Amino acid sequence: MSKPASTVTQNTWEFLRDAMITPTGFREYDARWKYPDDINLPGITALGLGLGTQMHARGIAPVIAVGNDYRDYSLSIKNALMLGLMQAGITVKDIGPALSPMAYFAQFHLDAPAVAMVTASHNPNGWTGVKMGFQRPLTHGPDEMAELRDIVLNGRGERRPGGGYEFVDGVREAYLDDLVGDFKMTRKLKVVCATGNGTASAFAPELFRRLGVEVVDSHNTLDYTFPHYNPNPEAMEMLHDMADSVRASGADLALGFDGDGDRCGVVDDEGEEIFADKMGVIMARDLAKLHPNSTFVADVKSTGLFASDPELQKHGAKADYWKTGHSHMKRRVKELGALAGFEKSGHYFLAEPIGRGYDCGMRVAVEICKLMDRNPDKSMSDLRRALPQTYSTPTMSPYASDTEKYDILDRIVQKLTAKADAGEKIGGRAIAEVITVNGARVMLDNGGWGLVRASSNTPNLVVVCESPESDAEMRAIFADIDAVIRTEPGVGDYDQSI
């Protein structure tokens, strides 16, 4: 095949005939474009041909499960993708409209060696993309994405005979059966189910009712115009709406899901949002009792409590801080045989015997309901308050250009590591360790920490600090970390600061 054009020219003869792909759509662990501004349908077909070619090159059996999220253009995108896959000699098993975790589930359920899920995740309408994977429960990481990008953009997709198509019905029902199992609530539980009219609307309310949970509906009618807000439980607009629904209904908690259902947001009975890292500690405490001596993976932006919490230590839990990003986290959980992984953005990775290791907002919701059932005398706010108090900054992002940010970060990491080696302090505390798997996470002797890393998708650095002692110490940690950052003239202003 010929190389795709790198710019998209709409309303031209070529737009309806030739592949057009903006190269920046190939990200670290998925592919994402504005459609039709940055990619056209022949471009999506070229992506499918490239993905099929990559399967053959890696010796993957030529069968793939394919699904799409609930947006008005997702079926067109999926059809174009499947055409390319079939051109590459791949047999496509089309599971219809789906959540991303339902597509991951289909890999196991149908014993399919590969998966491709057409979704823009939590991005607003106008975006599309593909999450893909070969080695279940993993999805493409930076190496696989770079390889796929080179195949597609260099026109190296190869057509082969033998492609085929099959529509597979019943995967949604099998997925829900798998989530519910034989569990039924023994305590009364009233949950605000918030789906923002996205794909999860077709799953979450039914799932809760089957568990025996009383559902307070919050925008649970499928509507791909997203009339209220974009379904994204990290966005304050959705979280505030969830909190309002809790207060108005007297619910025990609210659970909210993003556009493709792989993330879950939590608001407790007092209308307080519980960020996913703190929710992870609450879940880890509960799971560590049932599964002593477990390993829990947390991304480097997450609270230090995974390492310092006395309850977790009591049950022999081990913490591993790893790279931010759903593909990195899934891989690390699998590598270490960890029980679970928690990412601050709301991706949870629950491995055997709880889940299958991929990020599934529905599985998280089920496990939170089970946690509440195992603690019948506790409210979610009780569980939140039982955690040791920590003082943390929001995620702060100073400007650093895409072309310079990794070089800048390397120098900052060296300077922070040198401080540790010289026995210098940060925030008045001794440095216990500098974790450098993803930027630098400076761990202090009392469990406090400061993080500097590069954003994977914007021209920024990312800075987060936390103290288990006080607000003043948290500010002191930030001041010392920021002083090192400010030695780099290529770093600009923060988007927000304390």
Side-chain angles (χ1 to χ4, degrees):
M1 63 173 277
S2 56
K3 287 186 185 182
S6 60
T7 52
V8 178
T9 48
Q10 294 181 47
N11 197 6
T12 61
W13 180 262
E14 291 75 20
F15 180 76
L16 297 184
R17 188 191 66 171
D18 302 335
M20 299 177 177
I21 303 172
T22 304
T24 49
F26 290 94
R27 310 286 182 88
E28 257 191 88
Y29 17 82
D30 56 17
R32 229 173 270 191
W33 292 272
K34 284 195 92 166
Y35 169 76
D37 305 356
D38 296 331
I39 195 163
N40 65 347
L41 290 175
I44 296 284
T45 298
L47 177 68
L49 179 62
L51 184 62
T53 301
Q54 186 183 31
M55 286 173 68
H56 286 295
R58 287 187 165 236
I60 308 293
V63 180
I64 191 165
V66 182
N68 61 281
D69 67 10
Y70 190 83
R71 297 182 192 241
D72 62 345
Y73 47 86
S74 288
L75 181 58
S76 304
I77 301 287
K78 182 176 74 173
N79 285 337
L81 183 78
M82 294 190 300
L83 178 62
L85 285 161
M86 290 187 283
Q87 286 174 354
I90 306 295
T91 296
V92 172
K93 291 184 181 287
D94 180 359
I95 63 171
L99 295 173
S100 291
M102 175 181 141
Y104 305 151
F105 166 78
Q107 263 192 291
F108 291 86
H109 181 63
L110 305 175
D111 197 21
V115 65
M117 174 68 191
V118 171
T119 178
S121 188
H122 61 275
N123 284 28
N125 272 330
W127 285 85
T128 192
V130 184
K131 292 180 176 176
M132 54 214 112
F134 296 158
Q135 191 191 347
R136 63 192 177 209
L138 307 182
T139 40
H140 274 28
D143 294 347
E144 294 87 355
M145 285 307 301
E147 180 182 79
L148 176 63
R149 181 194 64 217
D150 292 346
I151 292 169
V152 175
L153 297 184
N154 292 317
R156 298 210 318 266
E158 285 180 43
R159 290 182 174 79
R160 296 171 188 246
Y165 175 87
E166 176 192 356
F167 185 83
V168 184
D169 214 354
V171 178
R172 176 185 172 276
E173 290 69 27
Y175 169 60
L176 285 168
D177 288 346
D178 183 69
L179 286 166
V180 175
D182 56 6
F183 177 73
K184 201 81 172 167
M185 294 294 296
T186 60
R187 75 178 271 187
K188 273 188 159 27
L189 195 70
K190 189 175 183 178
V191 173
V192 172
C193 172
T195 58
N197 304 102
T199 320
S201 304
F203 295 85
E206 180 182 334
L207 175 65
F208 287 133
R209 290 189 176 102
R210 284 180 59 178
L211 294 172
V213 168
E214 184 185 342
V215 174
V216 178
D217 286 299
S218 174
H219 311 314
N220 292 159
T221 305
L222 285 166
D223 186 340
Y224 46 51
T225 66
F226 302 153
H228 302 284
Y229 45 72
N230 183 43
N232 176 10
E234 246 192 319
M236 297 318 290
E237 192 177 13
M238 185 166 182
L239 288 164
H240 289 332
D241 188 46
M242 287 162 64
D244 290 344
S245 297
V246 166
R247 293 189 192 102
S249 64
D252 295 297
L253 68 154
L255 296 170
F257 307 96
D258 69 340
D260 67 332
D262 59 5
R263 292 189 303 136
C264 180
V266 183
V267 172
D268 72 16
D269 49 294
E270 295 180 351
E272 285 285 315
E273 115 191 48
I274 308 178
F275 284 114
D277 57 341
K278 295 285 176 71
M279 192 63 226
V281 178
I282 292 171
M283 292 180 79
R285 281 179 152 199
D286 183 65
L287 294 171
K289 286 182 204 148
L290 302 172
H291 307 276
N293 306 314
S294 293
T295 297
F296 297 103
V297 180
D299 79 311
V300 291
K301 292 190 332 195
S302 290
T303 177
L305 288 175
F306 288 103
S308 64
D309 178 42
E311 275 296 304
L312 287 176
Q313 289 174 352
K314 190 167 86 182
H315 296 289
K318 291 181 286 297
D320 179 79
Y321 285 94
W322 196 242
K323 298 174 187 177
T324 293
H326 66 88
S327 282
H328 295 308
M329 290 288 291
K330 262 180 275 215
R331 192 149 297 194
R332 187 66 170 175
V333 167
K334 187 173 190 218
E335 266 173 20
L336 296 182
L339 183 64
F342 305 100
E343 194 179 7
K344 195 165 187 176
S345 63
H347 290 273
Y348 299 70
F349 311 86
L350 302 170
E352 298 287 357
I354 305 158
R356 288 190 173 83
Y358 51 77
D359 36 343
C360 176
M362 301 298 121
R363 169 58 64 196
V364 174
V366 170
E367 296 308 317
I368 289 173
C369 291
K370 288 180 180 176
L371 179 153
M372 297 304 289
D373 207 57
R374 285 193 287 269
N375 296 275
D377 56 338
K378 297 273 198 331
S379 66
M380 185 55 88
S381 57
D382 291 336
L383 296 171
R384 167 176 59 80
R385 272 193 289 269
L387 295 181
Q389 185 167 7
T390 61
Y391 305 82
S392 52
T393 68
T395 301
M396 302 175 287
S397 301
Y399 176 82
S401 78
D402 279 329
T403 52
E404 290 181 47
K405 65 186 179 187
Y406 291 107
D407 291 336
I408 289 171
L409 179 68
D410 285 345
R411 292 193 293 272
I412 291 170
V413 171
Q414 284 168 10
K415 290 167 189 172
L416 288 168
T417 307
K419 267 185 174 301
D421 292 344
E424 293 180 39
K425 294 184 173 180
I426 293 278
R429 289 277 172 188
I431 299 169
E433 183 188 6
V434 181
I435 297 171
T436 57
V437 295
N438 190 197
R441 182 179 167 116
V442 182
M443 306 282 278
L444 306 178
D445 61 0
N446 67 340
W449 55 276
L451 167 77
V452 190
R453 60 182 284 271
S455 168
S456 53
N457 46 22
T458 60
N460 295 102
L461 300 179
V462 175
V463 181
V464 186
C465 303
E466 181 182 66
S467 163
E469 300 284 333
S470 65
D471 182 75
E473 185 179 88
M474 174 263 284
R475 289 171 185 276
I477 295 168
F478 172 61
D480 285 355
I481 297 278
D482 185 54
V484 175
I485 292 169
R486 291 295 141 204
T487 62
E488 289 291 332
V491 180
D493 293 337
Y494 282 88
D495 62 335
Q496 57 179 357
S497 188
I498 51 171

Coordinates of all heavy atoms in Angstrom, one line a residue, residues 51 63-69 74 77-79 81-83 85 90-98 102-103 106-107 110 112 114-118 130-131 165-168 171:
L51 N -2.5 -3.0 11.7 CA -2.6 -3.8 12.9 C -2.6 -5.3 12.5 O -2.0 -6.1 13.2 CB -4.0 -3.5 13.6 CG -4.2 -4.2 14.9 CD1 -3.2 -3.9 15.9 CD2 -5.6 -3.8 15.5
V63 N -6.8 -14.0 14.4 CA -8.2 -13.8 14.9 C -8.3 -12.7 15.9 O -7.4 -12.6 16.8 CB -8.7 -15.1 15.6 CG1 -10.2 -14.9 16.1 CG2 -8.6 -16.3 14.6
I64 N -9.2 -11.8 15.7 CA -9.3 -10.6 16.6 C -10.8 -10.3 17.0 O -11.7 -10.4 16.2 CB -8.7 -9.4 15.9 CG1 -8.5 -8.2 16.9 CG2 -9.5 -8.9 14.7 CD1 -7.6 -7.1 16.4
A65 N -11.0 -10.0 18.3 CA -12.3 -9.5 18.8 C -12.3 -8.0 18.6 O -11.4 -7.3 19.0 CB -12.5 -9.9 20.2
V66 N -13.4 -7.5 18.0 CA -13.5 -6.0 17.8 C -14.9 -5.5 18.3 O -15.9 -6.1 18.1 CB -13.4 -5.7 16.3 CG1 -13.5 -4.2 16.0 CG2 -12.1 -6.3 15.7
G67 N -14.8 -4.4 19.1 CA -16.0 -3.7 19.6 C -16.0 -2.2 19.3 O -15.0 -1.7 18.9
N68 N -17.1 -1.5 19.7 CA -17.1 -0.1 19.5 C -17.9 0.5 20.6 O -18.9 -0.1 21.1 CB -17.7 0.3 18.2 CG -19.1 -0.2 18.0 OD1 -19.3 -1.3 17.6 ND2 -20.1 0.7 18.2
D69 N -17.5 1.8 21.0 CA -18.3 2.4 22.1 C -19.6 3.1 21.5 O -19.8 3.0 20.3 CB -17.4 3.5 22.8 CG -17.0 4.6 22.0 OD1 -17.4 4.8 20.8 OD2 -16.1 5.4 22.5
S74 N -19.0 5.8 15.7 CA -18.1 4.7 16.1 C -18.3 3.5 15.2 O -17.4 2.7 14.9 CB -18.3 4.3 17.6 OG -17.7 5.3 18.4
I77 N -16.4 4.0 12.0 CA -15.0 3.8 12.3 C -14.7 2.3 12.4 O -13.7 1.8 11.8 CB -14.6 4.5 13.6 CG1 -14.9 6.0 13.5 CG2 -13.1 4.3 13.9 CD1 -14.0 6.9 12.6
K78 N -15.5 1.6 13.1 CA -15.2 0.1 13.3 C -15.3 -0.6 12.0 O -14.5 -1.5 11.7 CB -16.2 -0.5 14.3 CG -16.0 -2.0 14.6 CD -16.9 -2.5 15.6 CE -18.3 -2.7 15.1 NZ -19.2 -3.4 16.1
N79 N -16.3 -0.3 11.1 CA -16.4 -1.0 9.9 C -15.2 -0.7 9.0 O -14.7 -1.6 8.3 CB -17.7 -0.5 9.1 CG -19.0 -1.1 9.7 OD1 -18.9 -2.1 10.4 ND2 -20.1 -0.4 9.5
L81 N -12.2 0.0 10.1 CA -11.1 -0.8 10.8 C -11.1 -2.2 10.4 O -10.1 -2.9 10.0 CB -11.1 -0.6 12.3 CG -10.0 -1.2 13.1 CD1 -8.8 -0.4 13.0 CD2 -10.4 -1.4 14.6
M82 N -12.4 -2.8 10.5 CA -12.5 -4.2 10.2 C -12.2 -4.6 8.7 O -11.6 -5.6 8.4 CB -13.9 -4.7 10.5 CG -14.3 -4.6 12.0 SD -15.8 -5.5 12.5 CE -17.0 -4.5 11.6
L83 N -12.5 -3.6 7.8 CA -12.2 -3.8 6.4 C -10.7 -4.0 6.3 O -10.2 -4.9 5.6 CB -12.7 -2.6 5.6 CG -12.4 -2.6 4.1 CD1 -13.0 -3.8 3.4 CD2 -12.9 -1.3 3.5
L85 N -8.5 -4.9 8.6 CA -8.1 -6.2 9.3 C -8.3 -7.4 8.3 O -7.5 -8.2 8.2 CB -8.8 -6.4 10.6 CG -8.4 -5.5 11.7 CD1 -9.4 -5.4 12.8 CD2 -7.0 -6.0 12.3
I90 N -7.1 -11.3 8.4 CA -7.5 -11.6 9.8 C -9.0 -11.9 9.8 O -9.8 -11.3 9.1 CB -7.2 -10.3 10.6 CG1 -5.8 -9.8 10.5 CG2 -7.6 -10.6 12.1 CD1 -4.7 -10.8 11.1
T91 N -9.3 -12.9 10.6 CA -10.7 -13.2 10.9 C -11.2 -12.3 12.0 O -10.6 -12.3 13.1 CB -10.9 -14.7 11.3 OG1 -10.6 -15.5 10.2 CG2 -12.4 -15.0 11.7
V92 N -12.3 -11.5 11.8 CA -12.8 -10.5 12.7 C -14.0 -11.1 13.4 O -14.9 -11.6 12.8 CB -13.2 -9.2 12.0 CG1 -13.9 -8.3 13.0 CG2 -12.0 -8.5 11.4
K93 N -14.0 -11.1 14.8 CA -15.2 -11.5 15.6 C -15.7 -10.2 16.1 O -15.2 -9.6 17.0 CB -14.8 -12.4 16.7 CG -14.3 -13.8 16.1 CD -14.1 -14.8 17.3 CE -13.6 -16.1 16.8 NZ -14.7 -16.9 16.2
D94 N -16.8 -9.7 15.5 CA -17.4 -8.4 15.9 C -18.4 -8.6 17.0 O -19.4 -9.3 16.9 CB -18.2 -7.9 14.6 CG -18.9 -6.6 14.8 OD1 -18.8 -6.0 16.0 OD2 -19.5 -6.1 13.9
I95 N -18.1 -8.0 18.2 CA -18.9 -8.2 19.4 C -20.0 -7.1 19.5 O -20.8 -7.1 20.5 CB -18.1 -8.3 20.7 CG1 -17.3 -7.0 20.9 CG2 -17.1 -9.5 20.6 CD1 -16.6 -6.9 22.3
G96 N -20.0 -6.2 18.5 CA -21.1 -5.1 18.6 C -20.7 -4.0 19.5 O -19.5 -3.9 19.9
P97 N -21.6 -3.2 19.9 CA -21.4 -2.1 20.8 C -20.9 -2.7 22.2 O -21.4 -3.7 22.6 CB -22.7 -1.4 21.0 CG -23.6 -1.9 19.9 CD -23.1 -3.2 19.5
A98 N -19.9 -2.0 22.8 CA -19.3 -2.6 24.0 C -18.6 -1.5 24.8 O -18.4 -0.4 24.4 CB -18.2 -3.6 23.5
M102 N -15.4 -4.9 28.3 CA -16.2 -6.0 27.7 C -15.4 -6.6 26.5 O -15.4 -7.8 26.3 CB -17.6 -5.5 27.2 CG -18.3 -6.6 26.5 SD -20.0 -6.0 26.0 CE -20.1 -6.8 24.3
A103 N -14.7 -5.7 25.7 CA -13.9 -6.2 24.6 C -12.7 -7.0 25.2 O -12.4 -8.0 24.6 CB -13.4 -5.0 23.8
A106 N -13.9 -10.3 26.1 CA -14.2 -11.1 24.9 C -13.0 -11.9 24.5 O -13.1 -13.0 23.9 CB -14.7 -10.2 23.7
Q107 N -11.8 -11.3 24.7 CA -10.6 -12.0 24.4 C -10.5 -13.4 25.1 O -10.1 -14.4 24.5 CB -9.4 -11.2 24.8 CG -8.7 -10.4 23.6 CD -7.4 -9.9 24.1 OE1 -7.3 -9.0 24.9 NE2 -6.3 -10.4 23.5
L110 N -14.0 -15.6 24.1 CA -14.0 -16.2 22.7 C -12.6 -16.8 22.4 O -12.5 -17.3 21.3 CB -14.3 -15.1 21.7 CG -15.6 -14.3 21.9 CD1 -15.7 -13.2 20.9 CD2 -16.8 -15.2 21.8
A112 N -9.9 -15.3 21.8 CA -9.3 -14.6 20.7 C -7.9 -14.1 21.1 O -7.8 -13.5 22.2 CB -10.2 -13.4 20.4
A114 N -6.3 -11.6 19.9 CA -6.1 -10.1 19.8 C -7.4 -9.4 20.0 O -8.5 -10.0 19.9 CB -5.5 -9.8 18.5
V115 N -7.3 -8.1 20.4 CA -8.5 -7.3 20.6 C -8.3 -5.9 20.0 O -7.1 -5.4 20.0 CB -8.9 -7.2 22.1 CG1 -7.8 -6.4 22.9 CG2 -10.2 -6.5 22.3
A116 N -9.3 -5.3 19.4 CA -9.3 -3.9 19.0 C -10.6 -3.3 19.4 O -11.7 -3.7 19.0 CB -9.1 -3.8 17.5
M117 N -10.5 -2.2 20.2 CA -11.7 -1.5 20.7 C -11.8 -0.1 20.1 O -10.9 0.7 20.4 CB -11.7 -1.5 22.2 CG -12.8 -0.7 22.9 SD -14.4 -1.4 22.6 CE -15.5 -0.1 23.2
V118 N -12.8 0.2 19.4 CA -13.0 1.5 18.8 C -13.6 2.4 19.9 O -14.7 2.2 20.3 CB -13.8 1.5 17.5 CG1 -14.2 2.9 17.1 CG2 -13.1 0.8 16.4
V130 N -8.5 3.8 18.9 CA -8.5 2.4 19.1 C -7.6 2.0 20.2 O -6.4 2.5 20.3 CB -8.0 1.7 17.8 CG1 -8.1 0.1 17.9 CG2 -8.8 2.1 16.6
K131 N -8.1 1.2 21.1 CA -7.3 0.5 22.1 C -7.1 -0.9 21.7 O -8.1 -1.6 21.3 CB -8.0 0.5 23.5 CG -8.1 1.9 24.1 CD -8.8 2.0 25.5 CE -8.7 3.4 26.0 NZ -9.5 3.5 27.3
Y165 N -15.2 -12.6 8.5 CA -16.1 -11.8 9.4 C -17.1 -12.6 10.1 O -17.8 -13.4 9.4 CB -16.7 -10.6 8.6 CG -17.7 -9.8 9.5 CD1 -17.3 -8.7 10.3 CD2 -19.1 -10.1 9.6 CE1 -18.1 -8.0 11.1 CE2 -19.9 -9.4 10.4 CZ -19.5 -8.4 11.1 OH -20.3 -7.7 11.9
E166 N -17.3 -12.4 11.4 CA -18.4 -13.1 12.1 C -18.9 -12.2 13.2 O -18.1 -11.6 13.9 CB -17.8 -14.4 12.7 CG -18.8 -15.1 13.6 CD -18.2 -16.2 14.5 OE1 -16.9 -16.4 14.4 OE2 -18.9 -16.8 15.3
F167 N -20.2 -12.0 13.2 CA -20.8 -11.2 14.3 C -21.1 -12.2 15.4 O -21.8 -13.2 15.2 CB -22.1 -10.5 13.9 CG -22.7 -9.6 14.9 CD1 -22.2 -8.3 15.1 CD2 -23.7 -10.1 15.8 CE1 -22.7 -7.5 16.1 CE2 -24.1 -9.3 16.8 CZ -23.6 -8.0 17.0
V168 N -20.6 -11.9 16.6 CA -20.8 -12.8 17.8 C -21.8 -12.1 18.7 O -21.4 -11.1 19.4 CB -19.5 -13.0 18.5 CG1 -19.7 -14.1 19.6 CG2 -18.4 -13.5 17.5
V171 N -22.1 -11.6 24.0 CA -20.9 -11.3 24.8 C -21.3 -10.3 25.9 O -20.8 -10.5 27.1 CB -19.8 -10.7 23.9 CG1 -18.6 -10.4 24.8 CG2 -19.4 -11.7 22.8

